[in-house]
Amino acid sequence: MPAFYQPPHRILLGPGPSMVDPRVYSALAAPIIGHTDPDFFGVLQDATDLLRYVFGTENECAIAVSGTGTAGMEAAVMNFVEAGTKVAMFANGYFSDRLTEMCKRQGAEVARLEKPWGEVFDDDEARAFIEREKPQIAAFVHAETSTGALQPAKAICDAAHEVGALTIGDCVTSLGGMPVEVDKNGIDIAYSGTQKCLSAPPGLSPLTLSPRALERLRARKTPCVSWYLDLKLIDAYWGASHRYHHTTPISMFYALREALRLCKLETMEARFERHRLNHRAFVAGIEALGMRMHVAAENRLWTLNTPVLPAGVDDAALRKRLLEEFSIEVLGGFGPLTGKVLRVGLMGVSSQRNYVLLLLQALETCLGGSGAARAAEAVYAGG
Ligand SMILES: *Cc1c(COP(=O)(O)O)cnc(C)c1O
């Protein structure tokens, strides 16, 4: 008989999952109650109120779909993209390719505007593409975890609304770490995941719909092809009638509620500043090692960093050593960035000064070189 499972103590500095706060672990251990218990509806209501705060929205619909971030992505596509729907896709990394694939499986007509991995679309390019394609849906990845680049949302959403399109924004790696500002940016359908900057375990996908999107959802004539991800049915469970749809993952809702409560306790402003500071310190350390970042300074995510590996460094061997000697998890690049970059997540609880310093010291040891941790210290000291 196998022994009780005790995972190794890891420092999670990869593209997710991130580390989990002890208070969120405590929330997970609370007793199960039923998914139709009036007390549980209070948990859902708290989650909605807190999600509005974290997303930066006053949307009526702010929920969490059962499943990881990909479930939110699939819910967005399945409920708003049908056979023949014209979709304008901003394609500059792996997750926009995944969105493209989902749209194509729905039978959509997808027009793609492409950029190399690590670059982003400027306002004029975004506007020209949407004016030319006149789509019904424009989709983009706000924080591209495969590249480390942040795609500004406002120009895409403004241009989309001018042609009557709705926007889908993947906020999986930005929500809880960088401003998403759903209302200010005008993102109609925004989704995220619990295990990145919200620092809860993987298993739920927060999602919010603008009044415009909710109206289009409710006006849909044909039923959503996916029964499980049908947002009309899920919305009815969250709404006043609380109509049974599926058994919600109760413990994960306790965890999400607590993770969101911790966002509110810290305040989003302080949280963004923390992510920005740790990112800046990490970059200073990387540059002190004579390395450079893959993404141009003005387009970098604070939550996912892609330092370029020095020539001749074996990516897999380096990561194996970081894991075995330092118990630090970081991941490598994939697709066009295979073997070229590291992917270092500083998300949620993982975005802390001691982890930044530890990783930089570990990199000094593994790569040779010095001064990385000192350069980071200078940033923390206000340099
Ligand atoms: C992680 C991620 C996803 C997928 O989320 P899962 O939780 O792995 O299903 C989607 N989009 C982006 C940008 C991500 O980083």
Side-chain angles (χ1 to χ4, degrees):
M1 173 148 112
F4 180 76
Y5 180 63
Q6 275 192 290
H9 175 76
R10 296 284 192 227
I11 296 166
L12 299 176
L13 302 180
S18 58
M19 319 258 297
V20 173
D21 188 282
R23 286 167 284 188
V24 174
Y25 284 131
S26 299
L28 278 166
I32 297 293
I33 59 174
H35 57 287
T36 56
D37 189 312
D39 219 77
F40 186 69
F41 296 138
V43 173
L44 295 183
Q45 185 58 53
D46 290 345
T48 289
D49 293 342
L50 291 163
L51 277 171
R52 287 192 185 116
Y53 170 67
V54 172
F55 267 122
T57 184
E58 290 178 5
N59 287 343
E60 174 191 335
C61 177
I63 62 174
V65 176
S66 303
T68 63
T70 308
M73 184 189 278
E74 199 135 47
V77 171
M78 297 218 107
N79 287 276
F80 292 95
V81 177
E82 296 180 69
T85 301
K86 178 85 187 270
V87 178
M89 184 70 64
F90 290 88
N92 58 348
Y94 170 75
F95 288 101
S96 47
D97 289 349
R98 187 182 287 187
L99 272 167
T100 302
E101 172 66 19
M102 285 181 185
C103 290
K104 285 193 173 156
R105 288 187 184 197
Q106 288 291 98
E109 187 197 326
V110 185
R112 283 164 58 93
L113 186 64
E114 313 234 0
K115 280 255 173 168
W117 284 30
E119 294 183 18
V120 299
F121 302 91
D122 71 31
D123 293 359
D124 292 341
E125 288 167 336
R127 181 169 300 280
F129 176 51
I130 287 173
E131 282 170 4
R132 185 172 75 236
E133 297 295 340
K134 301 205 171 29
Q136 289 150 290
I137 296 283
F140 64 97
V141 177
H142 186 230
E144 185 42 87
T145 321
S146 63
T147 70
L150 178 83
Q151 174 59 52
K154 181 94 171 70
I156 294 177
C157 296
D158 285 350
H161 295 153
E162 274 162 34
V163 301
L166 294 178
T167 50
I168 295 179
D170 179 322
C171 305
V172 176
T173 290
S174 46
L175 189 72
M178 298 189 77
V180 169
E181 298 293 1
V182 160
D183 287 0
K184 274 192 207 136
N185 280 314
I187 310 172
D188 294 299
I189 302 140
Y191 59 84
S192 189
T194 41
Q195 81 275 27
K196 304 219 176 159
C197 304
L198 296 175
S199 272
L204 287 176
S205 182
L207 179 141
T208 184
L209 300 180
S210 70
R212 222 180 334 225
L214 197 56
E215 195 181 309
R216 199 183 290 187
L217 178 76
R218 287 176 177 159
R220 233 188 110 124
K221 298 269 176 347
T222 53
C224 176
V225 172
S226 168
W227 189 88
Y228 194 68
L229 295 176
D230 185 333
L231 289 174
K232 266 192 196 176
L233 301 179
I234 296 171
D235 188 50
Y237 168 70
W238 284 69
S241 70
H242 292 307
R243 198 167 70 225
Y244 166 67
H245 180 242
H246 65 276
T247 309
T248 41
I250 306 297
S251 308
M252 271 306 300
F253 274 97
Y254 299 161
L256 174 64
R257 178 187 177 280
E258 180 59 16
L260 295 169
R261 201 184 68 81
L262 294 177
C263 288
K264 181 127 194 209
L265 198 64
E266 182 176 10
T267 78
M268 293 317 282
E269 292 73 17
R271 203 171 169 96
F272 298 148
E273 189 44 38
R274 172 165 64 82
H275 281 80
R276 195 174 80 92
L277 179 64
N278 288 318
H279 159 75
R280 282 178 52 231
F282 177 71
V283 171
I286 285 297
E287 288 172 349
L289 284 175
M291 293 163 69
R292 62 180 188 85
M293 299 293 287
H294 176 65
V295 175
E298 64 277 17
N299 303 329
R300 282 177 200 152
L301 293 173
W302 308 332
T303 52
L304 193 284
N305 300 270
T306 44
V308 177
L309 285 161
V313 170
D314 178 353
D315 159 47
L318 172 64
R319 286 187 288 110
K320 184 164 184 277
R321 203 170 158 200
L322 289 172
L323 191 70
E324 286 177 358
E325 284 179 34
F326 300 90
S327 214
I328 295 175
E329 177 182 275
V330 301
L331 293 196
F334 64 109
L337 298 180
T338 303
K340 294 190 177 142
V341 298
L342 288 178
R343 287 187 301 142
V344 176
L346 298 174
M347 304 182 188
V349 169
S350 296
S351 173
Q352 285 190 49
R353 171 184 169 136
N354 56 326
Y355 298 144
V356 169
L357 295 175
L358 191 67
L359 176 59
L360 289 172
Q361 268 153 6
L363 288 172
E364 283 185 18
T365 304
C366 296
L367 298 174
S370 61
R374 217 175 320 122
E377 291 279 19
V379 172
Y380 290 122

